[in-house]
Coordinates of all heavy atoms in Angstrom, one line a residue:
M1 N -15.7 5.3 -2.3 CA -14.6 5.1 -3.1 C -14.6 5.8 -4.4 O -13.6 6.2 -5.0 CB -14.3 3.6 -3.2 CG -13.0 3.2 -3.7 SD -11.6 3.8 -2.8 CE -11.7 2.7 -1.5
A2 N -15.8 5.9 -5.0 CA -16.0 6.5 -6.3 C -15.4 7.8 -6.5 O -15.0 8.2 -7.6 CB -17.5 6.4 -6.7
Q3 N -15.3 8.6 -5.5 CA -14.9 10.0 -5.6 C -13.3 10.1 -5.7 O -12.8 11.2 -5.9 CB -15.4 10.8 -4.4 CG -14.8 10.4 -3.1 CD -15.5 11.0 -1.9 OE1 -15.4 12.2 -1.7 NE2 -16.0 10.2 -1.0
Y4 N -12.6 9.0 -5.5 CA -11.2 9.1 -5.5 C -10.5 8.6 -6.8 O -10.9 7.5 -7.3 CB -10.6 8.2 -4.2 CG -11.2 8.8 -2.9 CD1 -12.0 8.0 -2.2 CD2 -10.7 10.1 -2.4 CE1 -12.5 8.5 -1.0 CE2 -11.3 10.4 -1.2 CZ -12.2 9.6 -0.5 OH -12.6 10.1 0.6
D5 N -9.5 9.2 -7.2 CA -8.7 8.8 -8.4 C -7.4 8.1 -7.9 O -6.9 7.2 -8.6 CB -8.3 10.1 -9.2 CG -9.5 10.7 -9.9 OD1 -10.5 10.0 -10.2 OD2 -9.5 11.9 -9.9
V6 N -6.9 8.5 -6.7 CA -5.6 7.9 -6.2 C -6.0 7.5 -4.8 O -6.5 8.1 -3.9 CB -4.5 9.0 -6.2 CG1 -3.3 8.5 -5.6 CG2 -4.2 9.6 -7.5
V7 N -5.6 6.2 -4.6 CA -5.9 5.6 -3.3 C -4.6 5.0 -2.8 O -4.0 4.2 -3.4 CB -6.9 4.4 -3.5 CG1 -7.2 3.8 -2.0 CG2 -8.3 4.9 -4.1
F8 N -4.2 5.5 -1.6 CA -3.1 5.1 -0.9 C -3.5 3.9 0.0 O -4.4 4.0 0.7 CB -2.5 6.2 0.0 CG -1.8 7.3 -0.7 CD1 -2.5 8.3 -1.2 CD2 -0.4 7.3 -0.9 CE1 -2.0 9.3 -1.9 CE2 0.2 8.4 -1.6 CZ -0.6 9.4 -2.1
V9 N -2.7 2.7 -0.2 CA -3.1 1.6 0.6 C -1.9 1.3 1.5 O -0.9 0.8 1.0 CB -3.4 0.4 -0.3 CG1 -3.8 -0.9 0.6 CG2 -4.7 0.7 -1.1
G10 N -2.1 1.5 2.7 CA -0.8 1.4 3.7 C -1.0 0.2 4.6 O -2.1 -0.2 5.0
F11 N 0.0 -0.5 4.9 CA -0.1 -1.8 5.8 C 1.3 -2.1 6.4 O 2.3 -1.7 5.8 CB -0.7 -2.9 5.0 CG 0.0 -3.1 3.6 CD1 1.1 -3.8 3.5 CD2 -0.5 -2.4 2.5 CE1 1.7 -4.0 2.2 CE2 0.2 -2.6 1.2 CZ 1.3 -3.4 1.1
P12 N 1.3 -2.9 7.5 CA 2.5 -3.4 7.9 C 2.9 -4.6 7.0 O 1.9 -5.4 6.6 CB 2.3 -3.8 9.4 CG 0.8 -4.2 9.3 CD 0.2 -3.2 8.3
I13 N 4.1 -5.0 6.8 CA 4.5 -6.2 6.1 C 4.4 -7.3 7.1 O 5.0 -7.3 8.3 CB 5.9 -6.1 5.6 CG1 6.1 -5.1 4.4 CG2 6.4 -7.5 5.2 CD1 5.3 -5.4 3.2
W14 N 3.7 -8.3 6.8 CA 3.5 -9.5 7.6 C 3.9 -10.7 6.8 O 3.3 -11.0 5.7 CB 2.0 -9.7 8.1 CG 1.6 -8.8 9.3 CD1 2.4 -7.9 9.9 CD2 0.4 -8.8 10.0 NE1 1.6 -7.3 10.9 CE2 0.4 -7.8 11.0 CE3 -0.9 -9.5 9.7 CZ2 -0.6 -7.5 11.9 CZ3 -1.9 -9.3 10.7 CH2 -1.8 -8.2 11.6
W15 N 4.9 -11.4 7.2 CA 5.3 -12.6 6.5 C 5.6 -12.2 5.1 O 5.2 -12.9 4.1 CB 4.4 -13.8 6.7 CG 4.1 -14.0 8.2 CD1 2.8 -14.0 8.7 CD2 4.8 -14.2 9.2 NE1 2.8 -14.2 10.0 CE2 4.1 -14.3 10.4 CE3 6.2 -14.3 9.4 CZ2 4.7 -14.6 11.6 CZ3 6.9 -14.6 10.6 CH2 6.0 -14.6 11.7
Y16 N 6.4 -11.1 4.9 CA 6.9 -10.8 3.5 C 5.8 -10.3 2.6 O 6.2 -10.2 1.4 CB 7.8 -11.8 3.0 CG 8.8 -12.4 4.0 CD1 8.6 -13.6 4.7 CD2 10.0 -11.6 4.1 CE1 9.6 -14.0 5.5 CE2 11.0 -12.1 5.1 CZ 10.7 -13.3 5.8 OH 11.6 -13.7 6.7
R17 N 4.7 -10.0 3.1 CA 3.7 -9.4 2.1 C 2.6 -8.7 2.9 O 2.7 -8.4 4.1 CB 3.0 -10.6 1.4 CG 2.4 -11.6 2.3 CD 1.5 -12.6 1.5 NE 0.4 -12.0 1.1 CZ -0.5 -12.6 0.2 NH1 -0.4 -13.8 -0.1 NH2 -1.6 -11.9 -0.2
E18 N 1.5 -8.2 2.2 CA 0.4 -7.5 2.8 C -0.4 -8.5 3.6 O -0.6 -9.7 3.4 CB -0.4 -6.8 1.8 CG -1.5 -7.6 1.0 CD -0.8 -8.5 -0.1 OE1 0.4 -8.5 -0.2 OE2 -1.6 -9.2 -0.7
P19 N -0.9 -7.9 4.8 CA -1.8 -8.8 5.6 C -3.1 -9.2 4.8 O -3.6 -8.4 4.0 CB -2.2 -7.9 6.8 CG -1.1 -6.9 6.9 CD -0.7 -6.7 5.5
S20 N -3.7 -10.2 5.3 CA -4.9 -10.7 4.4 C -6.0 -9.8 4.5 O -6.8 -9.6 3.6 CB -5.5 -12.0 5.1 OG -4.4 -13.1 4.8
V21 N -6.1 -8.9 5.6 CA -7.3 -7.9 5.6 C -7.1 -6.9 4.6 O -8.2 -6.3 4.1 CB -7.2 -7.2 7.1 CG1 -6.1 -6.4 7.3 CG2 -8.5 -6.5 7.3
I22 N -5.9 -6.7 4.1 CA -5.7 -5.8 2.9 C -6.3 -6.3 1.8 O -6.9 -5.6 0.9 CB -4.2 -5.3 2.8 CG1 -3.7 -4.6 4.1 CG2 -4.0 -4.5 1.5 CD1 -4.4 -3.3 4.3
D23 N -6.0 -7.7 1.5 CA -6.7 -8.4 0.4 C -8.2 -8.2 0.4 O -8.8 -7.9 -0.6 CB -6.3 -9.8 0.4 CG -4.8 -10.0 0.2 OD1 -4.1 -9.0 -0.2 OD2 -4.3 -11.1 0.3
T24 N -8.7 -8.4 1.7 CA -10.2 -8.3 1.8 C -10.7 -6.9 1.4 O -11.6 -6.7 0.8 CB -10.6 -8.6 3.3 OG1 -10.1 -9.9 3.5 CG2 -12.1 -8.4 3.4
F25 N -9.9 -5.9 1.8 CA -10.2 -4.5 1.4 C -10.2 -4.3 -0.1 O -11.1 -3.7 -0.7 CB -9.2 -3.5 2.1 CG -9.3 -2.1 1.7 CD1 -10.3 -1.2 2.2 CD2 -8.4 -1.5 0.9 CE1 -10.4 0.1 1.8 CE2 -8.6 -0.2 0.4 CZ -9.6 0.6 1.0
M26 N -9.2 -4.7 -0.7 CA -9.0 -4.7 -2.1 C -10.2 -5.4 -2.9 O -10.6 -4.8 -3.9 CB -7.7 -5.2 -2.7 CG -6.5 -4.5 -2.1 SD -6.4 -2.8 -2.5 CE -6.2 -2.7 -4.3
E27 N -10.6 -6.4 -2.3 CA -11.7 -7.2 -3.0 C -13.1 -6.4 -2.8 O -14.1 -6.7 -3.5 CB -11.9 -8.6 -2.4 CG -10.7 -9.5 -2.9 CD -10.6 -10.8 -2.2 OE1 -11.2 -10.9 -0.9 OE2 -10.0 -11.7 -2.6
A28 N -13.2 -5.6 -1.8 CA -14.4 -4.9 -1.5 C -14.8 -3.8 -2.4 O -16.0 -3.3 -2.3 CB -14.3 -4.5 0.0
Y29 N -13.9 -3.2 -3.1 CA -14.2 -2.1 -3.9 C -13.8 -2.2 -5.4 O -12.9 -3.1 -5.7 CB -13.4 -0.9 -3.3 CG -13.8 -0.5 -1.9 CD1 -13.1 -1.0 -0.9 CD2 -15.0 0.3 -1.7 CE1 -13.5 -0.6 0.4 CE2 -15.5 0.7 -0.4 CZ -14.7 0.1 0.7 OH -15.1 0.5 1.9
D30 N -14.4 -1.3 -6.2 CA -14.0 -1.3 -7.6 C -12.9 -0.4 -7.8 O -13.1 0.9 -7.7 CB -15.2 -1.0 -8.5 CG -14.8 -0.9 -9.9 OD1 -13.7 -1.3 -10.3 OD2 -15.8 -0.6 -10.7
F31 N -11.7 -0.7 -8.1 CA -10.5 0.2 -8.2 C -10.3 0.5 -9.7 O -9.2 0.9 -10.1 CB -9.3 -0.4 -7.6 CG -9.3 -0.4 -6.1 CD1 -9.7 -1.5 -5.3 CD2 -9.0 0.7 -5.4 CE1 -9.8 -1.5 -4.1 CE2 -9.0 0.7 -4.0 CZ -9.4 -0.3 -3.4
G32 N -11.1 0.0 -10.6 CA -11.0 0.1 -12.0 C -10.7 1.6 -12.4 O -11.5 2.6 -12.0
G33 N -9.7 1.9 -13.2 CA -9.3 3.3 -13.6 C -8.7 4.2 -12.5 O -8.3 5.2 -12.8
K34 N -8.5 3.5 -11.4 CA -7.9 4.4 -10.3 C -6.3 4.0 -10.2 O -5.9 2.9 -10.7 CB -8.5 4.0 -9.0 CG -10.0 4.4 -8.9 CD -10.5 4.1 -7.5 CE -12.0 4.3 -7.5 NZ -12.5 5.5 -7.9
T35 N -5.6 4.9 -9.5 CA -4.2 4.6 -9.2 C -4.2 4.2 -7.7 O -4.6 5.0 -6.9 CB -3.2 5.8 -9.5 OG1 -3.3 6.2 -10.9 CG2 -1.8 5.6 -9.1
V36 N -3.6 3.0 -7.5 CA -3.4 2.6 -6.2 C -2.0 2.7 -5.8 O -1.1 2.2 -6.5 CB -3.8 1.1 -6.0 CG1 -3.5 0.5 -4.6 CG2 -5.4 1.0 -6.3
V37 N -1.6 3.3 -4.7 CA -0.3 3.6 -4.3 C 0.0 2.8 -3.0 O -0.4 3.2 -1.9 CB 0.0 5.0 -4.0 CG1 1.6 5.2 -3.7 CG2 -0.4 5.9 -5.2
P38 N 0.7 1.6 -3.1 CA 0.9 0.8 -1.9 C 2.1 1.4 -1.1 O 3.0 1.8 -1.7 CB 1.2 -0.6 -2.4 CG 1.4 -0.5 -3.9 CD 1.1 0.9 -4.3
F39 N 2.0 1.3 0.2 CA 3.2 1.7 1.0 C 3.0 0.8 2.3 O 1.9 0.4 2.6 CB 3.3 3.1 1.4 CG 2.2 3.7 2.2 CD1 2.4 4.0 3.6 CD2 0.9 3.9 1.7 CE1 1.4 4.5 4.4 CE2 -0.1 4.5 2.5 CZ 0.1 4.7 3.8
A40 N 4.2 0.6 2.9 CA 4.2 -0.3 4.0 C 5.3 0.1 5.0 O 6.3 0.7 4.6 CB 4.4 -1.8 3.6
T41 N 5.1 -0.4 6.3 CA 6.2 -0.5 7.2 C 6.6 -1.9 7.4 O 5.9 -2.8 7.2 CB 5.8 0.2 8.6 OG1 4.6 -0.5 9.1 CG2 5.5 1.7 8.4
S42 N 7.9 -2.1 7.9 CA 8.3 -3.4 8.2 C 9.4 -3.4 9.2 O 10.1 -2.2 9.3 CB 8.7 -4.2 6.9 OG 10.0 -3.8 6.5
G43 N 9.8 -4.5 9.7 CA 11.0 -4.6 10.5 C 12.2 -4.6 9.6 O 13.4 -4.5 10.2
G44 N 12.2 -4.7 8.4 CA 13.4 -4.7 7.5 C 13.0 -5.3 6.2 O 13.7 -4.9 5.1
S45 N 12.0 -6.2 6.0 CA 11.8 -6.7 4.7 C 11.2 -5.6 3.7 O 10.7 -4.7 4.2 CB 10.6 -7.8 4.8 OG 11.0 -8.9 5.7
G46 N 11.4 -6.0 2.5 CA 10.9 -5.0 1.5 C 9.4 -5.3 1.2 O 8.8 -6.1 2.0
M47 N 8.9 -4.9 0.1 CA 7.5 -5.0 -0.2 C 7.1 -6.4 -0.7 O 5.9 -6.8 -0.8 CB 7.1 -4.0 -1.3 CG 7.2 -2.5 -0.9 SD 6.0 -2.0 0.4 CE 4.5 -1.9 -0.7
G48 N 8.2 -7.2 -1.0 CA 7.9 -8.6 -1.4 C 7.0 -8.6 -2.7 O 7.1 -7.8 -3.5
D49 N 6.0 -9.5 -2.6 CA 5.0 -9.6 -3.7 C 3.8 -8.8 -3.6 O 2.8 -8.9 -4.2 CB 4.5 -11.1 -3.8 CG 5.7 -11.9 -4.3 OD1 6.6 -11.4 -5.0 OD2 5.6 -13.2 -4.0
S50 N 3.8 -7.8 -2.7 CA 2.6 -7.0 -2.2 C 2.0 -6.4 -3.4 O 0.7 -6.4 -3.8 CB 2.9 -6.0 -1.2 OG 3.5 -6.6 0.0
A51 N 2.8 -5.6 -4.2 CA 2.2 -4.9 -5.4 C 1.5 -5.9 -6.4 O 0.5 -5.6 -6.9 CB 3.3 -4.0 -6.1
A52 N 2.2 -7.0 -6.6 CA 1.7 -7.9 -7.6 C 0.4 -8.5 -7.1 O -0.5 -8.7 -7.8 CB 2.7 -9.0 -7.9
N53 N 0.4 -8.7 -5.8 CA -0.9 -9.3 -5.1 C -2.0 -8.3 -5.3 O -3.1 -8.7 -5.7 CB -0.6 -9.6 -3.7 CG 0.4 -10.7 -3.5 OD1 0.5 -11.6 -4.4 ND2 1.1 -10.8 -2.4
L54 N -1.7 -7.0 -5.0 CA -2.7 -6.0 -5.2 C -3.2 -5.9 -6.6 O -4.5 -5.7 -6.8 CB -2.3 -4.6 -4.7 CG -1.9 -4.5 -3.2 CD1 -1.7 -3.1 -2.9 CD2 -2.8 -5.2 -2.2
Q55 N -2.3 -6.0 -7.6 CA -2.7 -5.9 -8.9 C -3.7 -7.0 -9.3 O -4.6 -6.9 -10.1 CB -1.5 -6.0 -9.9 CG -1.8 -5.8 -11.3 CD -2.1 -4.4 -11.7 OE1 -1.3 -3.5 -11.8 NE2 -3.4 -4.2 -11.9
T56 N -3.4 -8.2 -8.8 CA -4.2 -9.4 -9.0 C -5.7 -9.1 -8.5 O -6.6 -9.5 -9.1 CB -3.7 -10.7 -8.4 OG1 -2.4 -10.9 -9.0 CG2 -4.5 -11.8 -8.6
L57 N -5.7 -8.5 -7.4 CA -7.0 -8.2 -6.7 C -7.7 -7.1 -7.3 O -9.0 -6.9 -7.0 CB -6.8 -8.1 -5.2 CG -6.3 -9.3 -4.5 CD1 -5.7 -8.9 -3.1 CD2 -7.4 -10.4 -4.4
A58 N -7.1 -6.2 -7.9 CA -7.7 -4.9 -8.5 C -7.2 -4.8 -10.0 O -6.4 -4.0 -10.3 CB -7.3 -3.7 -7.7
A59 N -7.7 -5.7 -10.8 CA -7.1 -5.9 -12.1 C -7.2 -4.6 -13.0 O -6.3 -4.3 -13.8 CB -7.9 -7.1 -12.8
G60 N -8.2 -3.8 -12.8 CA -8.5 -2.6 -13.6 C -7.7 -1.3 -13.1 O -7.8 -0.3 -13.7
A61 N -7.0 -1.5 -12.1 CA -6.3 -0.4 -11.5 C -4.8 -0.3 -12.0 O -4.2 -1.3 -12.3 CB -6.2 -0.5 -9.9
K62 N -4.2 0.9 -11.8 CA -2.8 1.1 -12.1 C -2.2 1.0 -10.7 O -2.5 1.9 -9.8 CB -2.5 2.4 -12.7 CG -1.0 2.6 -12.9 CD -0.7 4.0 -13.4 CE 0.7 4.1 -13.5 NZ 1.2 5.6 -13.6
I63 N -1.3 0.0 -10.4 CA -0.6 -0.1 -9.1 C 0.7 0.6 -9.3 O 1.6 0.1 -10.1 CB -0.6 -1.6 -8.7 CG1 -1.9 -2.4 -8.8 CG2 0.1 -1.6 -7.3 CD1 -2.9 -2.0 -7.8
A64 N 0.9 1.5 -8.5 CA 2.2 2.3 -8.6 C 3.3 1.6 -7.8 O 3.0 0.7 -7.0 CB 2.0 3.7 -7.8
A65 N 4.5 1.9 -8.1 CA 5.6 1.3 -7.4 C 5.5 1.6 -6.0 O 5.4 2.7 -5.6 CB 6.9 1.9 -8.0
G66 N 5.4 0.5 -5.2 CA 5.2 0.7 -3.7 C 6.5 1.1 -3.0 O 7.6 1.2 -3.7
R67 N 6.4 1.5 -1.8 CA 7.5 1.9 -1.1 C 7.5 1.5 0.4 O 6.4 1.5 1.0 CB 7.8 3.4 -1.1 CG 8.9 3.8 -0.3 CD 9.7 5.0 -0.8 NE 10.6 5.4 0.2 CZ 11.2 6.6 0.3 NH1 10.9 7.6 -0.5 NH2 12.1 6.9 1.2
R68 N 8.5 0.9 0.9 CA 8.5 0.4 2.3 C 9.2 1.5 3.1 O 10.3 2.1 2.7 CB 9.2 -0.9 2.3 CG 9.5 -1.5 3.6 CD 11.0 -1.2 4.0 NE 11.2 -1.5 5.4 CZ 12.2 -1.0 6.1 NH1 13.1 -0.2 5.6 NH2 12.3 -1.3 7.5
F69 N 8.7 1.8 4.3 CA 9.3 2.7 5.2 C 9.7 2.0 6.5 O 9.0 1.0 6.9 CB 8.4 3.9 5.5 CG 8.0 4.7 4.4 CD1 7.0 4.5 3.5 CD2 8.8 5.8 4.1 CE1 6.8 5.2 2.4 CE2 8.5 6.7 2.9 CZ 7.5 6.4 2.1
D70 N 10.6 2.6 7.2 CA 10.9 2.1 8.7 C 9.7 2.3 9.5 O 8.9 3.4 9.2 CB 12.1 2.7 9.2 CG 13.4 2.4 8.6 OD1 13.5 1.1 8.2 OD2 14.3 3.1 8.5
A71 N 9.4 1.6 10.5 CA 8.3 1.7 11.3 C 8.1 3.0 11.9 O 7.0 3.5 12.3 CB 8.1 0.6 12.3
N72 N 9.3 3.7 12.3 CA 9.2 4.9 12.9 C 9.4 6.2 12.1 O 9.9 7.2 12.5 CB 10.3 4.9 14.0 CG 11.7 4.7 13.5 OD1 11.9 4.5 12.3 ND2 12.7 4.8 14.3
T73 N 9.2 6.0 10.8 CA 9.3 7.1 9.8 C 8.5 8.3 10.2 O 7.2 8.2 10.5 CB 8.9 6.6 8.4 OG1 9.8 5.6 8.0 CG2 9.1 7.9 7.4
P74 N 9.0 9.5 10.4 CA 8.2 10.6 10.7 C 7.2 11.0 9.7 O 7.5 10.9 8.4 CB 9.3 11.8 10.9 CG 10.5 11.3 10.3 CD 10.4 9.8 10.1
A75 N 6.1 11.7 10.2 CA 5.0 12.1 9.2 C 5.4 13.0 8.1 O 4.9 12.9 7.0 CB 3.9 12.7 10.1
D76 N 6.4 13.9 8.4 CA 6.7 14.9 7.3 C 7.5 14.2 6.2 O 7.3 14.5 5.1 CB 7.6 16.1 7.9 CG 8.8 15.6 8.6 OD1 9.0 14.4 8.9 OD2 9.7 16.5 8.9
K77 N 8.3 13.1 6.5 CA 8.8 12.4 5.5 C 7.8 11.6 4.6 O 7.9 11.5 3.4 CB 9.9 11.3 6.0 CG 10.8 10.7 4.9 CD 11.9 9.8 5.5 CE 12.5 9.0 4.4 NZ 13.4 8.0 4.9
L78 N 6.8 11.0 5.3 CA 5.7 10.4 4.6 C 5.0 11.4 3.6 O 4.8 11.1 2.5 CB 4.8 9.8 5.5 CG 5.3 8.5 6.2 CD1 4.3 8.1 7.3 CD2 5.6 7.4 5.3
A79 N 4.8 12.6 4.2 CA 4.1 13.6 3.4 C 4.9 14.1 2.2 O 4.3 14.1 1.1 CB 3.7 14.8 4.4
D80 N 6.2 14.2 2.4 CA 7.0 14.5 1.2 C 7.0 13.5 0.1 O 6.8 13.8 -1.1 CB 8.5 14.7 1.7 CG 8.7 16.0 2.2 OD1 7.9 16.8 2.2 OD2 9.9 16.2 2.9
W81 N 6.9 12.3 0.5 CA 6.9 11.1 -0.5 C 5.5 11.2 -1.1 O 5.4 11.0 -2.4 CB 7.1 9.9 0.2 CG 6.8 8.7 -0.6 CD1 7.5 8.1 -1.7 CD2 5.6 7.9 -0.6 NE1 6.9 7.1 -2.2 CE2 5.8 6.9 -1.5 CE3 4.5 7.8 0.2 CZ2 4.7 5.9 -1.8 CZ3 3.5 6.9 0.1 CH2 3.6 5.9 -0.9
A82 N 4.4 11.3 -0.4 CA 3.0 11.2 -0.8 C 2.7 12.3 -1.9 O 1.9 12.2 -2.7 CB 2.0 11.3 0.3
K83 N 3.4 13.5 -1.8 CA 3.1 14.7 -2.6 C 3.1 14.4 -4.0 O 2.4 15.1 -4.7 CB 4.1 15.9 -2.2 CG 3.5 16.8 -1.1 CD 4.3 18.0 -1.1 CE 5.7 17.8 -0.5 NZ 6.4 18.9 0.0
Q84 N 4.0 13.5 -4.5 CA 4.2 13.3 -5.8 C 2.9 12.7 -6.5 O 2.8 12.7 -7.7 CB 5.3 12.3 -6.1 CG 5.0 10.9 -5.6 CD 6.3 10.0 -5.6 OE1 6.7 9.7 -6.7 NE2 6.8 9.6 -4.5
W85 N 2.0 12.3 -5.7 CA 0.8 11.6 -6.3 C -0.4 12.6 -6.2 O -1.5 12.2 -6.8 CB 0.4 10.3 -5.4 CG 1.6 9.3 -5.4 CD1 2.4 9.0 -4.4 CD2 2.0 8.6 -6.5 NE1 3.3 8.1 -4.8 CE2 3.1 7.8 -6.1 CE3 1.6 8.4 -7.8 CZ2 3.8 7.0 -6.9 CZ3 2.3 7.6 -8.7 CH2 3.4 6.8 -8.2
L86 N -0.2 13.7 -5.6 CA -1.4 14.5 -5.3 C -1.3 15.8 -6.1 O -0.4 16.1 -6.7 CB -1.4 14.9 -3.8 CG -1.5 13.7 -2.8 CD1 -1.3 14.1 -1.4 CD2 -2.7 12.9 -3.1
Ligands
FMN101 C1 2.4 -11.4 12.3 C2 3.6 -10.4 12.0 C3 4.4 -10.8 10.9 C4 5.5 -9.9 10.5 N1 6.3 -10.2 9.4 C5 7.3 -9.4 9.1 C6 8.2 -9.7 7.9 O1 8.0 -10.7 7.3 N2 9.2 -8.8 7.7 C7 9.4 -7.6 8.5 O2 10.4 -7.0 8.1 N3 8.6 -7.3 9.5 C8 7.6 -8.2 9.9 N4 6.8 -7.8 11.0 C9 7.0 -6.6 11.5 C10 6.0 -5.5 11.2 O3 6.1 -5.3 9.8 C11 6.2 -4.2 11.9 O4 5.9 -4.5 13.3 C12 5.2 -3.2 11.4 O5 5.6 -2.7 10.2 C13 5.2 -2.0 12.4 O6 3.9 -1.4 12.2 P1 2.9 -1.5 13.5 O7 3.4 -0.5 14.5 O8 1.6 -1.0 12.9 O9 2.8 -2.9 13.9 C14 5.8 -8.7 11.3 C15 4.9 -8.4 12.4 C16 3.9 -9.2 12.6 C17 3.0 -8.8 13.9

């Protein structure tokens, strides 16, 4: 993890937020000084409190405004969106 400045954290929305396994992932690493970019798929719900939850778990990180995508979003659309961070 130490070699990355920007970390994309992607997950499905479960019950209006990130799944608990994502919280476990966030707790497992030091994100201090990094930019974390959350993104999610869902059946229709938005990101809910996901970004705020990630911020709590990675206090030293800059959590970027997250974005929710439809579950069937094509890879090229995701790539276009991701480019702004790279
Ligand atoms: C346990 C569970 C909870 C879910 N909760 C939500 C929800 O609150 N809002 C929503 O729009 N979709 C919800 N979904 C739908 C998932 O977000 C959707 O299936 C997922 O983004 C598609 O990715 P996947 O193909 O990796 O499952 C839920 C799905 C599961 C299995």
